[in-house]
Amino acid sequence: PIPFSEVLAMIVVLRHGATEEAIQEVCERLERAGYQAAIWRGVERTVIGAIGVIDEEVKTQLIQQLESLPFVESAIRILRPYKLVSREWKEEPTLVPVRDKVVGGEHLIIMAGPCSVESREQILESAQGVKERGADVLRGGAFKPRTSPHTFQGLGYDGLKLLKEASEATGLPVVTEVMDPRDVEAVAEVADILQIGTRNMQNFTLLREVGQLRKPVLLKRGMWATIEEWLQAAEYICVGGNPFVILCERGIRTFETYTRNTLDLSAVVAAKQLSHLPVIVDPSQGTGKWSMVIPMSLAAIAAGADGLIVEVHPNPAQALSDGPQSLTLERFGELMERLAPVAAAVGRKLYCQSGASVGVS
């Protein structure tokens, strides 16, 4: 973990084939200058991050000295307020492992399930239904942040137990939201991916807590957040030592009232240009209308998203939360069928194409 009081000041890119002795020499030079060295070993080359706050004149001299070494390709200042999540720090896309799959690779990741866990029957039917139609991850909320205190708040710890049962019954990994730092340990015992919701994007205590894990974190963009603020929130998780962050665009609040939020697909492109982290899209929260979920899902994949998180309910009319934006199981099957050619057109694949059936009659 990197102390919060320090910043990543530069990165040193070593030439292909640099030896362990060369890596050690760079690290020693950085440490003599007052930096902490962080090493990242890529497939093609090694990158060393210089972490610390050093006088600019000393930094300039150090950069010149490092670039004079035959095994150093370049030494680059990092000026962005987010460091570890930036493309300057790591050019290659980060792959986030989720059991036997990864987020950010050639295959798209599809997360699907109800907004809230409502009952044993509902979550088991949802889990089996989305799995049969090609979902890779089961989503479901045990703890639900709601604008009104009088609306359904989720089943809490009982909901976590039901998610665990559904996961064991279907073999699907689970993504569920954690709202309180005190619940992180309990949620992490069940969830394969911990979700930080839009309202908690700048809950810095919570971000620090999940930063201590070595488990994927799905970070939703705040409904009022700029792209830079979103990436700086991701930085809190990474500086804690957890590199497995998945960004999620879920719509922002604008003057428009026809849709629940304004789904900002340009943010997908921007985030992938600025950061090495994978980016997925939530078209359910982004629009608030089930009739718009399929078109915006297709558009998200065409824009370069690494996957989707979609609300699916066996009976949306009876849902205790977010029924109007939830797909039925049948419509989710339609989405998966229509995703395949779009994915192929942009050079991506669906995991379900390698074995599982997409459509269910």
Side-chain angles (χ1 to χ4, degrees):
I2 300 166
F4 285 94
S5 60
E6 297 183 342
V7 296
L8 184 63
M10 74 172 82
I11 58 173
V12 183
V13 182
L14 302 187
R15 297 188 185 278
H16 180 70
T19 65
E20 286 299 318
E21 290 76 13
I23 295 170
Q24 187 60 35
E25 180 176 342
V26 172
C27 290
E28 290 174 356
R29 284 175 178 262
L30 291 174
E31 289 166 3
R32 285 199 300 270
Y35 286 106
Q36 175 186 344
I39 303 172
W40 179 77
R41 301 174 191 274
V43 176
E44 295 294 329
R45 65 193 68 196
T46 298
V47 174
I48 301 174
I51 301 161
V53 181
I54 304 294
D55 179 82
E56 281 299 315
E57 184 176 347
V58 173
K59 186 189 300 184
T60 299
Q61 293 175 354
L62 182 59
I63 287 175
Q64 293 172 349
Q65 293 169 3
L66 290 170
E67 289 187 331
S68 69
L69 297 173
F71 45 79
V72 171
E73 183 174 301
S74 61
I76 308 166
R77 281 185 174 86
I78 293 187
L79 303 176
R80 298 188 188 280
Y82 47 91
K83 313 293 185 180
L84 297 178
V85 307
S86 73
R87 283 278 181 183
E88 295 170 312
W89 163 239
K90 182 170 178 274
E91 187 174 345
E92 296 178 15
T94 287
L95 303 180
V96 176
V98 181
R99 294 196 190 177
D100 61 340
K101 298 179 174 64
V102 297
V103 185
E106 182 182 18
H107 288 78
L108 302 174
I109 199 87
I110 308 299
M111 309 179 190
C115 172
S116 301
V117 179
E118 300 166 359
S119 68
R120 181 175 184 271
E121 294 74 18
Q122 173 250 15
I123 192 60
L124 289 176
E125 182 180 357
S126 299
Q128 189 61 43
V130 298
K131 179 184 180 179
E132 289 174 350
R133 291 161 175 83
D136 306 300
V137 178
L138 172 65
R139 65 152 294 163
F143 300 94
K144 293 302 301 177
R146 306 301 297 277
T147 302
S148 170
H150 304 295
T151 51
F152 179 62
Q153 305 289 309
L155 298 179
Y157 289 104
D158 289 338
L160 286 179
K161 294 177 183 177
L162 294 175
L163 280 171
K164 181 178 181 180
E165 182 180 354
S167 176
E168 291 173 347
T170 60
L172 288 176
V174 167
V175 56
T176 192
E177 183 165 355
V178 60
M179 297 169 51
D180 192 314
R182 295 169 294 183
D183 295 327
V184 167
E185 183 177 353
V187 173
E189 289 181 1
V190 173
D192 297 271
I193 307 170
L194 284 80
Q195 176 181 308
I196 303 296
T198 184
R199 292 169 177 82
N200 278 309
M201 190 204 80
Q202 288 188 319
N203 182 338
F204 301 122
T205 302
L206 181 58
L207 296 179
R208 289 188 178 101
E209 193 67 26
V210 298
Q212 301 302 309
L213 303 175
R214 294 290 292 181
K215 181 165 279 196
V217 176
L218 177 65
L219 179 65
K220 288 198 166 186
R221 182 183 179 187
M223 65 182 74
W224 25 254
T226 66
I227 294 170
E228 188 169 279
E229 289 168 341
W230 185 25
L231 294 177
Q232 288 184 81
E235 186 84 359
Y236 268 87
I237 301 170
C238 289
V239 297
N242 186 354
F244 301 130
V245 180
I246 305 164
L247 300 172
C248 180
E249 163 58 35
R250 47 79 65 203
I252 53 176
R253 179 171 291 180
T254 68
F255 54 82
E256 183 53 65
T257 57
Y258 179 72
T259 52
R260 179 174 179 176
N261 294 291
T262 297
L263 188 59
D264 183 9
L265 293 185
S266 67
V268 175
V269 181
K272 289 179 75 71
Q273 289 176 347
L274 296 170
S275 174
H276 54 82
L277 299 176
V279 184
I280 71 168
V281 168
D282 183 342
S284 304
Q285 293 285 338
T287 63
K289 296 178 181 289
W290 70 261
S291 62
M292 301 180 75
V293 168
I294 292 179
M296 297 312 296
S297 295
L298 303 179
I301 299 307
D306 296 300
L308 302 167
I309 181 167
V310 182
E311 293 186 4
V312 181
H313 195 287
N315 187 354
Q318 300 298 319
L320 297 182
S321 58
D322 288 355
Q325 64 197 37
S326 297
L327 296 179
T328 62
L329 290 168
E330 292 71 25
R331 290 192 178 108
F332 177 66
E334 178 189 348
L335 166 62
M336 295 301 292
E337 290 176 345
R338 293 180 63 182
L339 270 181
V342 176
V346 295
R348 308 297 284 272
K349 298 178 182 179
L350 296 172
Y351 276 110
C352 62
Q353 288 177 316
S354 61
S357 173
V358 175
V360 176
S361 59

